[in-house]
């Protein structure tokens, strides 16, 4: 049994998805699952589910929770009343967003070598199924979506750093090529892709990527890329399109600031 938030909100039991009902009911489940195993007050639930709560929001919550309880009986999950609110009784590690955070934190430990770091982050990235909380409306869902996506971008950068140090630029380029356009403001991600391209002898593509990013920033925000990315671009030009990456410790400092 798994509760999935890293994409459409789903509950799976074995190979089967559990019918959860309309988006608002899925929002109730997501609002509980994000704090799996901990009570969520009625006020907090209401604020997470509705931007502008209806007059009888509590009654709507009770109805959604009753139907969720019925749907979840086949999974072993339970929604319990506790401390004036409700708790999704589940091992947090069965919630993909929690598992993602745990793996990412483990990978950041200083004792980890690059092989272990890349493996842990690879496991975390496999949990990703698309835009978090897909189809869930409202400001709370939007804030959570943004926060989780930022965690994902950070994990991608660390994963790419590890694989570049391990001499696997092909993996980095394959993974990041479709993702960088989806996160045009994540300059460290673009930096990793540019470095991977240069390591494969594709410096012209790295320069073109920088030009596209610069154009996007100018058109949408009226700003230039940051100093680290500008410096990397200049080194690529001076090196004639070859890999300008400095020592790993310096690379890490330049990318993460």
């Amino acid at each position: 049994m798994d509760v999935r938030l890293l994409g459409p909100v789903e509950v799976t039991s074995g190979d089967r998805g559990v019918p959860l009902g309309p988006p608002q009911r899925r929002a109730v489940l997501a609002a509980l699952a994000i704090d799996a195993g901990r009570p969520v007050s009625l006020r907090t639930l209401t604020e997470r589910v509705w931007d502008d709560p209806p007059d009888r929001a509590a009654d709507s919550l009770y109805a959604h929770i009753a139907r969720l309880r019925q749907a979840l009986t086949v999974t072993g999950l339970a929604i319990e009343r506790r401390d004036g609110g409700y708790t999704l009784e589940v091992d947090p590690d069965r919630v993909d967003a929690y598992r993602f955070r745990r793996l990412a934190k483990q990978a950041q430990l200083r004792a980890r070598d690059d092989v272990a770091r890349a493996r842990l982050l690879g496991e975390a990235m496999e949990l990703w199924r698309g835009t978090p909380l897909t189809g869930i409306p409202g400001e709370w869902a939007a804030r959570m979506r943004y926060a989780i996506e930022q965690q994902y971008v950070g994990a991608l950068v660390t994963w790419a750093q590890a694989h570049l140090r391990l001499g696997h630029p092909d993996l980095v380029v394959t993974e990041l090529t479709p993702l960088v356009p989806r996160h045009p403001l994540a300059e460290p991600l673009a930096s990793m892709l540019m470095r991977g391209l240069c390591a494969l002898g594709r410096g012209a593509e790295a320069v073109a990527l920088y030009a596209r990013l610069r154009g996007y920033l100018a058109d949408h925000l009226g700003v230039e890329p940051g100093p680290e990315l500008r410096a990397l671009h200049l080194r690529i030009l001076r090196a004639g399109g070859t890999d300008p990456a400095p020592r790993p410790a310096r690379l890490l400092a330049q990318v993460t600031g």
Side-chain angles (χ1 to χ4, degrees), residues 18 47 63 74 83 169 197 251:
V18 177
E47 291 172 348
V74 298
D83 298 334
L197 288 167
L251 169 60

Side-chain angles (χ1 to χ4, degrees), residues 26-41:
R26 293 171 183 266
V28 174
L29 178 66
L32 292 168
I34 208 73
D35 285 308
R38 300 193 300 270
V40 182
S41 70

Side-chain angles (χ1 to χ4, degrees), residues 70-241:
Q70 184 177 13
L72 296 176
T73 53
V74 298
T75 69
L77 287 174
I79 299 175
E80 302 292 349
R81 188 73 186 261
R82 193 201 305 174
D83 298 334
Y86 287 92
T87 303
L88 181 65
E89 298 290 355
V90 60
D91 178 356
D93 215 43
R94 305 309 304 179
V95 180
D96 60 359
Y98 176 90
R99 194 154 69 249
F100 178 89
R101 289 194 299 269
R102 177 180 62 77
L103 289 167
K105 285 182 179 180
Q106 288 180 348
Q108 295 287 358
L109 295 176
R110 291 184 178 182
R112 303 287 183 195
D113 60 21
D114 283 329
V115 172
R117 186 171 289 113
R119 177 182 56 79
L120 287 166
L121 290 171
E123 289 181 30
M125 290 157 57
E126 287 178 0
L127 297 171
W128 204 264
R129 297 176 297 112
T131 303
L133 305 178
T134 297
I136 303 300
E139 294 180 3
W140 173 79
R143 290 195 303 271
M144 290 304 305
R145 194 174 292 122
Y146 177 79
I148 295 171
E149 286 180 336
Q150 292 303 108
Q151 294 169 6
Y152 180 57
V153 168
L156 279 171
V157 171
T158 305
W159 175 90
Q161 288 170 339
H163 275 295
L164 287 176
R165 288 192 290 256
L166 291 169
H168 304 150
D170 52 331
L171 293 178
V172 173
V173 170
T174 298
E175 185 72 25
L176 298 193
T177 294
L179 295 177
V180 166
R182 300 177 197 171
H183 303 279
L185 302 182
E187 293 187 16
L189 205 60
S191 173
M192 292 298 104
L193 179 53
M194 290 169 65
R195 292 179 185 279
L197 288 167
C198 287
L200 294 175
R202 296 161 60 181
E205 293 177 55
V207 172
L209 171 63
Y210 177 86
R212 290 194 299 273
L213 175 63
R214 184 182 184 191
Y216 179 91
L217 292 174
D219 292 343
H220 290 78
L221 300 177
V223 299
E224 287 284 311
E228 292 86 358
L229 202 61
R230 294 201 307 271
L232 173 61
H233 175 245
L234 184 59
R235 286 200 301 274
I236 294 173
L237 294 177
R238 288 174 175 171

